[in-house]
Amino acid sequence: MKRLPLRKNPYLKWGAALLIVVFFALYLTVDQVIMPRVTRQSEVVSVPDFRGMPISEALLAIDSVGLVFGDTTSRIGPDSLQGLVAVQTPRPSASVRPRRRIYLSIYRGLEQDVVVPDVSTQSRRNARLALRAAGLIVHEEPDTIPSPDPGAVTRTDPVAGSLVPRGDSVTVWYGRGLNRNRLVEVPNVVGQHHHTADSLLRALFFWPRLLGQEGDPDNPLILRQSPEPGELSPEGSDIRLFTTADSLD
């Protein structure tokens, strides 16, 4: 049988043409039908305006347009707006892909002020319970000011009676107690004003006692002290401070 040249073989020509047609048909199917369904690159969603909606309605609206709820934050606002959407991300009318996450900020109303309770001299546990009951967050720190009762509250910041927003933090300082078996050298505070002398003595866990008032009534000059400078006294001892040279001990 005589073989036809490749150029004149009709089966080869029609076969090649059929392969080209099939290739383009597959390409168009993948490009125009399959890939858009997988990636949805050709689809965009215009983000609705959810601002002012109650959160329950906003969640339904997000789902109805093919978007996904992401998360919420809160912001202070009038009580009349409590529970309504304040801000949204992405912004209204933005063009996004389907299934894009939407983040909302919700008005929570105004915070109420509360009074810081007076917990001084209370135990750390009782002070913690009282402050938390008032809606406050508690931070505890050991105090550098000497206190004879270990664990008893010495002071707070803000001070008792202050008005603060509910949820604010209050620092509670508590005493570490005294070691009366430990002897400390009494410093020389003669010639110092009372405020300076008081701070210096308290830092060494002494109890300053001011006797007599002359000169500046708020911050008098210390002219004599007892015990004398250099003596050894136990922690927690009284240090008497005199503001007149002829004061009697």
Side-chain angles (χ1 to χ4, degrees), residues 23-103:
F23 173 79
F24 277 107
L26 287 174
Y27 173 79
L28 292 174
T29 301
V30 172
D31 184 62
Q32 301 296 324
V33 179
I34 297 177
M35 290 305 294
R37 289 183 178 179
V38 174
T39 64
R40 305 180 76 175
Q41 291 181 355
S42 60
E43 273 191 68
V44 293
V45 176
S46 179
V47 178
D49 190 350
F50 305 112
R51 295 172 300 180
M53 287 187 182
I55 180 62
S56 56
E57 292 182 13
L59 295 180
L60 293 174
I62 289 172
D63 184 67
S64 68
V65 294
L67 300 173
V68 176
F69 170 65
D71 199 2
T72 61
T73 56
S74 60
R75 62 170 49 198
I76 295 175
D79 289 337
S80 60
L81 298 180
Q82 189 170 1
L84 303 183
V85 177
V87 180
Q88 66 181 76
T89 303
R91 66 185 186 279
S93 302
S95 296
V96 299
R97 302 272 179 83
R99 310 296 298 170
R100 171 67 186 271
R101 291 187 178 275
I102 304 298
Y103 299 88

Side-chain angles (χ1 to χ4, degrees), residues 131 137-141 153 155-158 169-173:
L131 291 166
I137 299 172
V138 181
H139 295 292
E140 300 178 1
E141 296 287 345
V153 175
R155 56 195 174 107
T156 61
D157 182 24
S169 296
V170 174
T171 302
V172 172
W173 278 278

Side-chain angles (χ1 to χ4, degrees), residues 236-249:
S237 298
D238 289 344
I239 306 297
R240 294 175 293 282
L241 305 177
F242 302 97
T243 60
T244 58
D246 58 350
S247 298
L248 296 178
D249 191 346

Side-chain angles (χ1 to χ4, degrees), residues 197-219:
D198 187 89
S199 298
L200 177 59
L201 292 168
R202 289 183 183 276
L204 296 174
F205 295 91
F206 289 124
W207 293 101
R209 290 180 57 200
L210 185 63
L211 301 176
Q213 290 283 351
E214 283 194 1
D216 183 355
D218 295 324
N219 195 22

